[in-house]
Amino acid sequence: RAKGDFDTLATSPKKTKSATKSTRQRSPSPSPSKVSNIPQILSRDLAKLSPHNEWIDLKIPPHELRPSATLTTGQCFNWMVVKHDEFGKCVDGNEILSQQSAWGTHDAKEWVGPLKNRVYSIRETPTTTEFRLLHGPNDGAKEHLEQYFRLETELAPLYDDWSRADARLAKIASCIPGVRILRQDPVECMFSFICSSNNNIPRITKMLSSFREKYGIYLMDIPTRINGDDGDDESPCIGSMSLFSFPTLSSLASANEDELREMGLGYRARYIVDTRDLLLKRGGEDHLMKLRSMQDSQAVQDELVKFSGIGRKVADCVALFSLDQDDAIPVDVHVQHIASRDYDPTVFDGAKSITPTIYKRVGDLFRDRFQTYAGWAHSLLFVAELPSFRAVLPPDLLNEMDEWREYEKQKKAVAKKT
Protein backbone atom coordinates (compact mmCIF):
# COMPACT_ATOMS: atom_id res chain seq x y z
CA ARG A 1 0.00 0.00 0.00
CA ALA A 2 1.00 3.59 -0.41
CA LYS A 3 2.83 5.75 2.05
CA GLY A 4 0.32 7.65 4.13
CA ASP A 5 -1.91 4.69 4.93
CA PHE A 6 -0.72 5.02 8.51
CA ASP A 7 -1.58 8.70 8.68
CA THR A 8 -5.00 10.26 9.27
CA LEU A 9 -5.17 12.54 6.26
CA ALA A 10 -8.07 14.26 4.55
CA THR A 11 -8.86 13.50 0.93
CA SER A 12 -8.74 16.34 -1.51
CA PRO A 13 -11.64 16.81 -3.90
CA LYS A 14 -10.65 17.08 -7.52
CA LYS A 15 -12.43 20.28 -8.36
CA THR A 16 -14.40 22.99 -6.61
CA LYS A 17 -16.60 25.75 -8.00
CA SER A 18 -17.33 28.99 -6.21
CA ALA A 19 -20.98 29.93 -6.06
CA THR A 20 -20.07 33.49 -7.03
CA LYS A 21 -17.99 32.47 -10.06
CA SER A 22 -18.93 30.62 -13.22
CA THR A 23 -15.53 28.96 -13.73
CA ARG A 24 -14.38 25.91 -11.86
CA GLN A 25 -11.22 26.14 -9.78
CA ARG A 26 -8.82 23.43 -8.73
CA SER A 27 -8.58 22.85 -5.02
CA PRO A 28 -5.07 22.75 -3.55
CA SER A 29 -3.56 19.60 -2.15
CA PRO A 30 -4.60 19.23 1.49
CA SER A 31 -2.23 19.70 4.35
CA PRO A 32 -2.92 18.92 8.02
CA SER A 33 -2.67 22.62 8.87
CA LYS A 34 -5.32 23.58 6.29
CA VAL A 35 -7.92 20.87 6.84
CA SER A 36 -10.52 23.50 7.79
CA ASN A 37 -10.32 24.95 4.25
CA ILE A 38 -10.88 21.67 2.44
CA PRO A 39 -14.29 21.39 0.79
CA GLN A 40 -16.42 18.72 2.44
CA ILE A 41 -19.27 16.59 1.11
CA LEU A 42 -22.38 16.70 3.28
CA SER A 43 -25.01 13.98 3.46
CA ARG A 44 -27.89 16.44 3.28
CA ASP A 45 -26.56 17.82 -0.01
CA LEU A 46 -26.16 14.39 -1.57
CA ALA A 47 -29.73 13.58 -0.54
CA LYS A 48 -30.93 16.15 -3.08
CA LEU A 49 -29.27 14.28 -5.95
CA SER A 50 -31.33 11.63 -7.74
CA PRO A 51 -34.04 11.83 -5.06
CA HIS A 52 -36.09 9.18 -6.87
CA ASN A 53 -33.40 6.59 -6.05
CA GLU A 54 -33.93 5.29 -2.54
CA TRP A 55 -31.45 3.59 -0.22
CA ILE A 56 -31.20 -0.13 -0.97
CA ASP A 57 -30.23 -2.61 1.71
CA LEU A 58 -27.48 -5.06 0.74
CA LYS A 59 -28.73 -7.19 3.65
CA ILE A 60 -25.21 -7.92 4.82
CA PRO A 61 -24.52 -7.98 8.60
CA PRO A 62 -21.58 -6.13 10.18
CA HIS A 63 -19.51 -9.29 10.66
CA GLU A 64 -19.65 -9.81 6.89
CA LEU A 65 -18.93 -6.23 5.73
CA ARG A 66 -17.88 -2.96 7.31
CA PRO A 67 -17.14 -0.35 4.63
CA SER A 68 -15.41 1.75 7.30
CA ALA A 69 -12.68 -0.88 7.53
CA THR A 70 -12.62 -1.70 3.83
CA LEU A 71 -13.09 1.30 1.54
CA THR A 72 -10.50 3.76 2.86
CA THR A 73 -7.67 1.62 4.19
CA GLY A 74 -5.35 1.56 1.18
CA GLN A 75 -6.98 -0.88 -1.25
CA CYS A 76 -8.43 1.79 -3.54
CA PHE A 77 -8.43 5.54 -4.06
CA ASN A 78 -11.87 6.46 -5.37
CA TRP A 79 -14.02 6.82 -2.22
CA MET A 80 -14.59 10.04 -0.29
CA VAL A 81 -16.08 10.39 3.16
CA VAL A 82 -19.49 12.04 3.35
CA LYS A 83 -20.01 14.11 6.49
CA HIS A 84 -23.24 14.56 8.36
CA ASP A 85 -24.16 18.15 9.14
CA GLU A 86 -26.06 17.25 12.31
CA PHE A 87 -23.13 16.11 14.43
CA GLY A 88 -24.13 14.99 17.89
CA LYS A 89 -27.82 14.64 17.02
CA CYS A 90 -29.61 11.33 16.88
CA VAL A 91 -30.84 9.80 13.64
CA ASP A 92 -32.79 6.56 13.87
CA GLY A 93 -31.67 6.30 17.49
CA ASN A 94 -27.95 6.50 16.62
CA GLU A 95 -25.73 9.44 17.46
CA ILE A 96 -23.90 10.89 14.47
CA LEU A 97 -20.24 11.40 15.22
CA SER A 98 -17.80 13.68 13.44
CA GLN A 99 -15.38 12.02 11.03
CA GLN A 100 -11.75 13.06 10.71
CA SER A 101 -10.85 12.09 7.15
CA ALA A 102 -11.40 9.60 4.38
CA TRP A 103 -8.29 7.53 5.02
CA GLY A 104 -8.46 4.94 7.75
CA THR A 105 -11.12 6.71 9.78
CA HIS A 106 -13.03 3.90 11.39
CA ASP A 107 -15.97 6.03 12.57
CA ALA A 108 -16.97 7.30 9.12
CA LYS A 109 -20.44 6.09 8.12
CA GLU A 110 -21.02 7.25 4.55
CA TRP A 111 -18.94 7.46 1.36
CA VAL A 112 -19.39 8.52 -2.25
CA GLY A 113 -17.40 7.51 -5.29
CA PRO A 114 -17.43 6.41 -8.95
CA LEU A 115 -17.38 2.78 -10.06
CA LYS A 116 -17.21 2.33 -13.83
CA ASN A 117 -20.11 4.38 -15.27
CA ARG A 118 -21.96 4.74 -11.97
CA VAL A 119 -21.67 6.93 -8.89
CA TYR A 120 -22.64 5.29 -5.61
CA SER A 121 -23.27 6.52 -2.12
CA ILE A 122 -22.51 3.83 0.47
CA ARG A 123 -23.91 3.98 4.00
CA GLU A 124 -22.94 1.84 6.97
CA THR A 125 -25.55 1.29 9.70
CA PRO A 126 -25.28 -0.64 12.97
CA THR A 127 -26.92 -3.68 11.35
CA THR A 128 -26.20 -3.61 7.60
CA THR A 129 -24.77 -1.73 4.61
CA GLU A 130 -26.93 0.27 2.23
CA PHE A 131 -26.31 2.03 -1.07
CA ARG A 132 -27.97 4.68 -3.17
CA LEU A 133 -27.28 5.20 -6.87
CA LEU A 134 -26.54 8.85 -7.68
CA HIS A 135 -25.68 8.37 -11.36
CA GLY A 136 -25.80 5.60 -13.94
CA PRO A 137 -28.10 2.72 -14.87
CA ASN A 138 -30.21 1.18 -12.12
CA ASP A 139 -30.26 -2.22 -13.79
CA GLY A 140 -27.44 -4.32 -12.39
CA ALA A 141 -26.32 -1.66 -9.88
CA LYS A 142 -26.83 -3.90 -6.85
CA GLU A 143 -25.17 -6.89 -8.50
CA HIS A 144 -22.19 -4.73 -9.48
CA LEU A 145 -21.71 -3.65 -5.88
CA GLU A 146 -22.10 -7.21 -4.57
CA GLN A 147 -19.35 -8.34 -6.93
CA TYR A 148 -17.18 -5.36 -5.98
CA PHE A 149 -17.42 -6.29 -2.29
CA ARG A 150 -17.08 -9.99 -3.14
CA LEU A 151 -20.11 -10.82 -1.06
CA GLU A 152 -20.20 -14.34 -2.48
CA THR A 153 -17.30 -15.11 -0.10
CA GLU A 154 -18.56 -15.74 3.44
CA LEU A 155 -16.30 -13.86 5.84
CA ALA A 156 -17.31 -15.21 9.27
CA PRO A 157 -15.86 -18.72 8.73
CA LEU A 158 -12.60 -17.14 7.54
CA TYR A 159 -12.38 -14.99 10.67
CA ASP A 160 -12.91 -18.16 12.72
CA ASP A 161 -10.17 -20.04 10.85
CA TRP A 162 -7.68 -17.20 11.18
CA SER A 163 -8.50 -16.74 14.86
CA ARG A 164 -7.75 -20.38 15.58
CA ALA A 165 -4.40 -19.98 13.81
CA ASP A 166 -3.36 -16.79 15.60
CA ALA A 167 -4.40 -15.68 19.09
CA ARG A 168 -3.37 -12.10 18.41
CA LEU A 169 -5.51 -11.91 15.27
CA ALA A 170 -8.38 -13.35 17.30
CA LYS A 171 -8.27 -10.27 19.54
CA ILE A 172 -8.24 -8.00 16.51
CA ALA A 173 -11.08 -9.92 14.84
CA SER A 174 -13.30 -9.32 17.86
CA CYS A 175 -12.70 -5.54 17.56
CA ILE A 176 -12.62 -4.96 13.80
CA PRO A 177 -15.29 -6.97 11.97
CA GLY A 178 -16.09 -6.98 8.29
CA VAL A 179 -12.70 -6.30 6.67
CA ARG A 180 -13.06 -7.53 3.10
CA ILE A 181 -10.88 -7.56 -0.01
CA LEU A 182 -12.41 -5.73 -2.96
CA ARG A 183 -12.69 -6.95 -6.53
CA GLN A 184 -11.67 -3.83 -8.40
CA ASP A 185 -11.51 -3.26 -12.12
CA PRO A 186 -8.03 -4.63 -12.94
CA VAL A 187 -7.08 -1.84 -15.37
CA GLU A 188 -7.98 0.82 -12.80
CA CYS A 189 -6.21 -1.07 -10.04
CA MET A 190 -3.06 -1.57 -12.14
CA PHE A 191 -2.62 2.07 -13.14
CA SER A 192 -3.66 3.34 -9.70
CA PHE A 193 -0.98 1.33 -7.96
CA ILE A 194 1.65 2.37 -10.50
CA CYS A 195 0.86 5.92 -9.34
CA SER A 196 1.06 4.82 -5.69
CA SER A 197 4.74 3.85 -5.89
CA ASN A 198 6.87 5.97 -3.51
CA ASN A 199 3.92 8.26 -2.97
CA ASN A 200 1.46 9.37 -0.30
CA ILE A 201 -2.33 9.23 -0.23
CA PRO A 202 -3.14 12.91 -0.95
CA ARG A 203 -0.74 13.02 -3.94
CA ILE A 204 -2.04 9.69 -5.27
CA THR A 205 -5.59 10.99 -5.01
CA LYS A 206 -4.69 14.22 -6.80
CA MET A 207 -2.83 12.35 -9.56
CA LEU A 208 -5.71 9.97 -10.17
CA SER A 209 -8.23 12.83 -10.14
CA SER A 210 -6.28 14.56 -12.91
CA PHE A 211 -5.97 11.23 -14.71
CA ARG A 212 -9.73 10.67 -14.59
CA GLU A 213 -10.53 14.22 -15.66
CA LYS A 214 -8.18 14.14 -18.65
CA TYR A 215 -8.99 10.70 -20.06
CA GLY A 216 -12.18 9.53 -18.36
CA ILE A 217 -15.84 10.31 -19.01
CA TYR A 218 -17.65 13.02 -17.06
CA LEU A 219 -20.29 11.49 -14.79
CA MET A 220 -21.76 14.21 -12.56
CA ASP A 221 -21.11 17.11 -10.21
CA ILE A 222 -21.66 16.71 -6.47
CA PRO A 223 -22.01 19.66 -4.07
CA THR A 224 -19.32 20.59 -1.57
CA ARG A 225 -19.01 23.04 1.32
CA ILE A 226 -16.07 24.55 3.14
CA ASN A 227 -15.48 22.77 6.46
CA GLY A 228 -17.12 24.74 9.23
CA ASP A 229 -19.85 26.19 7.00
CA ASP A 230 -23.13 26.58 8.87
CA GLY A 231 -25.03 24.63 6.22
CA ASP A 232 -27.02 27.62 4.94
CA ASP A 233 -28.21 26.78 1.43
CA GLU A 234 -27.49 30.39 0.36
CA SER A 235 -23.93 30.30 1.66
CA PRO A 236 -21.30 31.55 -0.86
CA CYS A 237 -19.10 28.67 0.30
CA ILE A 238 -21.15 26.15 -1.66
CA GLY A 239 -19.16 24.64 -4.52
CA SER A 240 -19.07 21.49 -6.59
CA MET A 241 -16.81 18.57 -7.42
CA SER A 242 -16.83 16.86 -10.79
CA LEU A 243 -16.61 13.07 -10.88
CA PHE A 244 -15.22 11.14 -13.84
CA SER A 245 -14.99 7.47 -14.74
CA PHE A 246 -11.58 5.82 -14.75
CA PRO A 247 -10.03 5.84 -18.24
CA THR A 248 -10.27 2.78 -20.43
CA LEU A 249 -7.25 1.49 -22.32
CA SER A 250 -8.71 2.83 -25.56
CA SER A 251 -9.15 6.31 -24.06
CA LEU A 252 -5.51 6.22 -22.98
CA ALA A 253 -4.33 5.49 -26.53
CA SER A 254 -3.53 9.16 -27.19
CA ALA A 255 -1.75 9.77 -23.87
CA ASN A 256 1.94 10.64 -24.12
CA GLU A 257 4.69 10.95 -21.56
CA ASP A 258 5.04 14.75 -21.73
CA GLU A 259 1.31 15.20 -21.21
CA LEU A 260 1.30 12.88 -18.20
CA ARG A 261 4.30 14.63 -16.67
CA GLU A 262 2.52 17.97 -16.97
CA MET A 263 -0.34 16.41 -14.96
CA GLY A 264 2.07 15.74 -12.09
CA LEU A 265 2.83 12.05 -12.62
CA GLY A 266 6.58 12.67 -12.84
CA TYR A 267 8.72 9.61 -13.64
CA ARG A 268 5.59 7.45 -13.45
CA ALA A 269 4.49 8.92 -16.79
CA ARG A 270 6.90 6.62 -18.62
CA TYR A 271 5.57 3.64 -16.66
CA ILE A 272 1.98 4.49 -17.64
CA VAL A 273 2.82 4.74 -21.34
CA ASP A 274 4.96 1.60 -21.43
CA THR A 275 2.45 -0.46 -19.43
CA ARG A 276 -0.41 0.71 -21.65
CA ASP A 277 1.50 -0.32 -24.77
CA LEU A 278 2.49 -3.73 -23.43
CA LEU A 279 -1.00 -4.42 -22.08
CA LEU A 280 -2.59 -3.56 -25.43
CA LYS A 281 -0.05 -5.80 -27.17
CA ARG A 282 -0.99 -8.69 -24.88
CA GLY A 283 -4.72 -8.37 -25.39
CA GLY A 284 -5.74 -5.54 -23.09
CA GLU A 285 -8.16 -6.18 -20.25
CA ASP A 286 -8.70 -9.74 -21.48
CA HIS A 287 -5.10 -10.50 -20.54
CA LEU A 288 -5.73 -9.35 -16.96
CA MET A 289 -8.97 -11.32 -16.78
CA LYS A 290 -7.03 -14.45 -17.75
CA LEU A 291 -4.72 -13.78 -14.80
CA ARG A 292 -7.80 -13.56 -12.56
CA SER A 293 -8.68 -17.13 -13.52
CA MET A 294 -5.24 -18.48 -12.57
CA GLN A 295 -4.82 -20.45 -9.34
CA ASP A 296 -1.16 -19.61 -8.69
CA SER A 297 -0.55 -16.17 -7.15
CA GLN A 298 3.21 -16.46 -7.66
CA ALA A 299 2.68 -17.03 -11.38
CA VAL A 300 0.40 -13.98 -11.47
CA GLN A 301 3.06 -11.90 -9.70
CA ASP A 302 5.69 -13.13 -12.18
CA GLU A 303 3.46 -12.05 -15.06
CA LEU A 304 2.62 -8.62 -13.62
CA VAL A 305 6.21 -7.61 -12.86
CA LYS A 306 6.89 -7.74 -16.61
CA PHE A 307 5.01 -4.45 -16.87
CA SER A 308 6.86 -1.16 -16.45
CA GLY A 309 6.67 0.37 -12.98
CA ILE A 310 5.36 -2.81 -11.34
CA GLY A 311 7.56 -4.47 -8.74
CA ARG A 312 6.65 -7.34 -6.44
CA LYS A 313 4.63 -5.27 -3.97
CA VAL A 314 2.57 -3.44 -6.61
CA ALA A 315 2.06 -6.74 -8.46
CA ASP A 316 0.68 -8.35 -5.31
CA CYS A 317 -1.57 -5.33 -4.64
CA VAL A 318 -3.04 -5.65 -8.14
CA ALA A 319 -3.30 -9.44 -7.75
CA LEU A 320 -5.02 -9.29 -4.36
CA PHE A 321 -7.27 -6.26 -4.89
CA SER A 322 -8.46 -6.96 -8.43
CA LEU A 323 -7.48 -10.43 -9.64
CA ASP A 324 -8.88 -12.72 -6.90
CA GLN A 325 -5.41 -13.93 -5.88
CA ASP A 326 -6.40 -14.43 -2.26
CA ASP A 327 -3.04 -15.61 -0.94
CA ALA A 328 -1.05 -12.75 -2.47
CA ILE A 329 0.73 -10.81 0.30
CA PRO A 330 1.79 -7.24 -0.58
CA VAL A 331 4.92 -6.73 1.53
CA ASP A 332 6.20 -3.30 2.52
CA VAL A 333 8.08 -2.16 5.59
CA HIS A 334 4.88 -2.06 7.68
CA VAL A 335 3.95 -5.64 6.81
CA GLN A 336 7.53 -6.70 7.43
CA HIS A 337 7.28 -5.15 10.91
CA ILE A 338 4.12 -7.18 11.61
CA ALA A 339 5.92 -10.34 10.51
CA SER A 340 9.03 -9.53 12.57
CA ARG A 341 7.11 -8.56 15.69
CA ASP A 342 4.51 -11.31 15.71
CA TYR A 343 5.89 -14.30 13.78
CA ASP A 344 9.65 -14.35 13.22
CA PRO A 345 12.05 -11.69 14.58
CA THR A 346 14.82 -13.07 12.35
CA VAL A 347 12.94 -12.69 9.07
CA PHE A 348 14.81 -9.54 8.07
CA ASP A 349 18.12 -11.21 8.91
CA GLY A 350 20.02 -7.92 9.23
CA ALA A 351 19.22 -6.82 5.68
CA LYS A 352 18.83 -3.09 4.99
CA SER A 353 16.11 -3.56 2.38
CA ILE A 354 13.46 -6.07 1.36
CA THR A 355 15.25 -8.40 -1.04
CA PRO A 356 13.36 -10.91 -3.23
CA THR A 357 14.25 -13.66 -0.76
CA ILE A 358 13.03 -11.67 2.25
CA TYR A 359 9.91 -10.62 0.36
CA LYS A 360 8.94 -14.24 -0.27
CA ARG A 361 9.90 -15.26 3.26
CA VAL A 362 7.62 -12.61 4.78
CA GLY A 363 4.74 -13.63 2.52
CA ASP A 364 5.25 -17.29 3.38
CA LEU A 365 4.98 -16.49 7.10
CA PHE A 366 1.41 -15.34 6.48
CA ARG A 367 0.59 -18.09 3.98
CA ASP A 368 1.92 -20.85 6.26
CA ARG A 369 -0.06 -19.57 9.24
CA PHE A 370 -3.29 -18.73 7.43
CA GLN A 371 -4.07 -21.59 5.09
CA THR A 372 -7.16 -19.98 3.55
CA TYR A 373 -7.36 -16.47 2.13
CA ALA A 374 -4.02 -15.45 3.64
CA GLY A 375 -4.10 -12.11 1.81
CA TRP A 376 -7.39 -11.26 3.52
CA ALA A 377 -5.97 -12.17 6.94
CA HIS A 378 -2.90 -10.05 6.23
CA SER A 379 -5.18 -7.10 5.39
CA LEU A 380 -7.07 -7.43 8.69
CA LEU A 381 -3.76 -7.28 10.54
CA PHE A 382 -2.72 -4.29 8.41
CA VAL A 383 -5.92 -2.38 9.19
CA ALA A 384 -5.34 -2.90 12.92
CA GLU A 385 -2.06 -0.99 12.60
CA LEU A 386 -3.75 2.17 11.29
CA PRO A 387 -3.67 4.95 13.92
CA SER A 388 -7.39 5.69 13.67
CA PHE A 389 -8.25 2.14 14.75
CA ARG A 390 -6.28 2.37 17.99
CA ALA A 391 -9.43 3.42 19.84
CA VAL A 392 -11.08 0.04 19.26
CA LEU A 393 -8.10 -2.18 20.17
CA PRO A 394 -7.50 -3.66 23.64
CA PRO A 395 -4.75 -2.08 25.81
CA ASP A 396 -2.43 -5.11 25.66
CA LEU A 397 -2.26 -4.95 21.85
CA LEU A 398 -1.62 -1.21 21.96
CA ASN A 399 1.19 -1.74 24.45
CA GLU A 400 2.76 -4.34 22.17
CA MET A 401 2.61 -1.97 19.21
CA ASP A 402 4.07 0.94 21.16
CA GLU A 403 6.85 -1.15 22.64
CA TRP A 404 7.77 -2.49 19.21
CA ARG A 405 7.86 1.00 17.68
CA GLU A 406 10.14 2.17 20.48
CA TYR A 407 12.36 -0.87 20.00
CA GLU A 408 12.60 -0.21 16.26
CA LYS A 409 13.36 3.45 16.88
CA GLN A 410 16.18 2.59 19.27
CA LYS A 411 17.55 -0.03 16.88
CA LYS A 412 17.69 2.51 14.07
CA ALA A 413 19.43 5.02 16.33
CA VAL A 414 22.08 2.47 17.23
CA ALA A 415 22.53 1.50 13.59
CA LYS A 416 23.20 5.12 12.64
CA LYS A 417 25.98 5.39 15.20
CA THR A 418 27.76 2.25 14.00
Side-chain angles (χ1 to χ4, degrees):
R1 290 172 172 85
K3 293 180 180 179
D5 293 339
F6 282 76
D7 300 322
T8 312
L9 299 171
T11 39
S12 65
K14 197 184 60 55
K15 300 175 72 177
T16 58
K17 179 176 65 179
S18 171
T20 59
K21 297 182 180 180
S22 60
T23 58
R24 291 192 179 96
Q25 299 176 342
R26 287 189 181 277
S27 60
S29 296
S31 65
S33 62
K34 297 181 180 180
V35 169
S36 61
N37 294 324
I38 297 173
Q40 307 289 338
I41 305 166
L42 296 187
S43 182
R44 62 173 290 194
D45 291 334
L46 287 189
K48 299 174 184 177
L49 304 178
S50 302
H52 53 284
N53 286 342
E54 298 181 350
W55 288 98
I56 296 175
D57 190 351
L58 288 175
K59 298 181 180 179
I60 191 80
H63 64 266
E64 288 294 328
L65 170 64
R66 288 287 82 178
S68 54
T70 300
L71 291 180
T72 54
T73 52
Q75 292 191 56
C76 57
F77 309 99
N78 57 314
W79 295 99
M80 296 163 286
V81 161
V82 177
K83 291 197 171 188
H84 291 262
D85 49 345
E86 295 180 311
F87 298 129
K89 295 183 180 180
C90 288
V91 175
D92 297 330
N94 300 297
E95 185 178 4
I96 297 174
L97 302 175
S98 174
Q99 298 88 22
Q100 298 174 28
S101 76
W103 298 104
T105 302
H106 76 275
D107 55 0
K109 301 300 179 188
E110 189 176 342
W111 304 262
V112 64
L115 284 180
K116 288 286 193 178
N117 61 338
R118 297 182 175 94
V119 176
Y120 289 92
S121 187
I122 307 290
R123 184 168 70 183
E124 179 178 301
T125 79
T127 58
T128 189
T129 296
E130 302 171 334
F131 78 91
R132 196 168 76 85
L133 191 65
L134 303 184
H135 173 85
N138 282 287
D139 288 348
K142 182 180 179 182
E143 291 76 13
H144 182 199
L145 208 55
E146 290 172 337
Q147 292 174 10
Y148 180 73
F149 282 121
R150 299 188 61 181
L151 297 186
E152 77 281 357
T153 300
E154 195 174 355
L155 190 58
L158 296 178
Y159 263 54
D160 290 342
D161 289 345
W162 304 332
S163 296
R164 284 191 291 269
D166 184 355
R168 186 175 183 279
L169 182 144
K171 295 180 181 180
I172 293 170
S174 66
C175 304
I176 309 178
V179 177
R180 302 189 73 89
I181 294 298
L182 301 171
R183 182 185 285 121
Q184 299 176 60
D185 173 76
V187 171
E188 177 175 353
C189 192
M190 177 182 248
F191 286 108
S192 295
F193 275 94
I194 288 175
C195 292
S196 77
S197 179
N198 297 314
N199 215 340
N200 58 55
I201 294 297
R203 289 195 66 229
I204 297 168
T205 304
K206 185 177 180 181
M207 279 184 186
L208 294 176
S209 289
S210 299
F211 200 57
R212 286 175 177 271
E213 179 184 0
K214 180 70 175 178
Y215 304 110
I217 297 173
Y218 169 79
L219 299 176
M220 69 181 302
D221 279 356
I222 58 174
T224 62
R225 297 175 187 263
I226 298 298
N227 190 34
D229 180 25
D230 60 9
D232 181 2
D233 285 339
E234 302 302 321
S235 169
C237 293
I238 297 176
S240 69
M241 178 192 306
S242 296
L243 299 183
F244 296 80
S245 65
F246 198 85
T248 63
L249 277 175
S250 59
S251 67
L252 289 175
S254 62
N256 61 69
E257 185 176 350
D258 290 341
E259 191 174 69
L260 292 167
R261 284 183 178 274
E262 289 177 3
M263 291 165 52
L265 269 70
Y267 66 87
R268 302 168 191 84
R270 167 52 57 185
Y271 298 158
I272 295 292
V273 171
D274 288 348
T275 290
R276 174 204 63 194
D277 292 345
L278 180 57
L279 188 55
L280 285 170
K281 183 178 179 181
R282 296 197 171 190
E285 187 174 359
D286 287 345
H287 176 69
L288 297 178
M289 298 306 289
K290 289 177 182 177
L291 297 184
R292 182 180 281 178
S293 66
M294 293 174 63
Q295 303 298 314
D296 184 348
S297 64
Q298 183 59 56
V300 172
Q301 184 199 97
D302 292 341
E303 194 63 32
L304 289 173
V305 296
K306 296 175 182 178
F307 291 90
S308 182
I310 297 184
R312 290 178 299 278
K313 177 203 163 188
V314 169
D316 280 339
C317 285
V318 176
L320 180 61
F321 303 144
S322 71
L323 299 178
D324 291 4
Q325 300 301 313
D326 296 319
D327 61 348
I329 309 291
V331 177
D332 60 10
V333 65
H334 305 300
V335 174
Q336 184 268 319
H337 284 169
I338 295 172
S340 297
R341 182 191 65 209
D342 300 332
Y343 302 137
D344 182 0
T346 69
V347 68
F348 217 54
D349 200 25
K352 295 183 179 180
S353 62
I354 301 177
T355 65
T357 299
I358 291 174
Y359 187 96
K360 185 176 187 306
R361 190 183 302 162
V362 171
D364 286 343
L365 284 173
F366 290 91
R367 283 183 285 265
D368 291 343
R369 182 172 291 263
F370 306 110
Q371 296 294 313
T372 55
Y373 291 76
W376 294 47
H378 139 279
S379 291
L380 173 57
L381 294 169
F382 181 93
V383 167
E385 301 289 322
L386 297 173
S388 58
F389 283 83
R390 287 178 63 90
V392 302
L393 297 177
D396 59 325
L397 288 187
L398 295 177
N399 290 336
E400 286 180 10
M401 292 177 180
D402 293 341
E403 288 173 1
W404 176 260
R405 290 192 184 98
E406 185 60 31
Y407 166 74
E408 286 291 300
K409 187 186 300 183
Q410 293 177 4
K411 189 167 69 172
K412 287 181 180 180
V414 171
K416 286 183 179 180
K417 294 179 180 179
T418 57

